[in-house]
Amino acid sequence: MTTILTPTTTPADASPRAVAGTTWHDVCALTDLEPLWGEAARVAGHQVALYRVDTTTVLAADHRDPRTGACVMARGILGSRGSAVTVASPLHKEVYDLATGLCLTGDGPALPVHPAEVRDGRVLVGLPR
């Protein structure tokens, strides 16, 4: 698990994916993440699952399974439904869209997702202030 040392607040115009009211946290180097694999990180006291989906893209969601409350989502199975990148919970196999957090296998609760981006080879995750 990676520990965050210092959060950084980024002006809204500093990033193409900037989200108002978000504090950006430098989590790790992109090379610390294996492609098509999840990794857990503690970001400002919050457990986050990071997924490196290709050579330059990282997606982030809560590490906590929304149905059970167990911190296991980084161990979920990455996949896709159409053009959506998905993760299946390792416990009950609910499938979530990593862009929206919606449960795609029924009426399950949504998985909270977080903005993430790669800048200068570093993975940054945005959490609400």
Side-chain angles (χ1 to χ4, degrees):
M1 200 179 265
T2 303
T3 302
I4 300 309
L5 300 176
T6 4
T8 57
T9 302
T10 304
D13 62 348
S15 163
R17 292 193 59 209
V19 178
T22 298
T23 299
W24 288 91
H25 303 270
D26 183 333
V27 179
C28 62
L30 178 62
T31 56
D32 290 338
L33 302 176
E34 291 185 47
L36 303 176
W37 189 258
E39 196 66 57
R42 191 168 196 73
V43 181
H46 190 84
Q47 290 197 37
V48 175
L50 301 172
Y51 307 96
R52 182 175 174 184
V53 296
D54 60 31
T55 58
T56 60
T57 306
V58 175
L59 300 175
D62 273 12
H63 185 41
R64 186 174 305 279
D65 182 306
R67 184 174 299 278
T68 66
C71 290
V72 295
M73 293 307 293
R75 296 297 161 246
I77 300 167
L78 286 176
S80 63
R81 291 239 175 135
S83 62
V85 178
T86 63
V87 65
S89 169
L91 297 179
H92 297 288
K93 308 307 183 241
E94 286 93 2
V95 176
Y96 299 93
D97 182 331
L98 283 172
T100 65
L102 291 177
C103 181
L104 302 177
T105 52
D107 61 352
L111 174 68
V113 294
H114 308 288
E117 61 183 54
V118 178
R119 287 192 217 151
D120 299 323
R122 301 290 302 171
V123 176
L124 287 90
V125 173
L127 294 177
R129 288 185 197 151

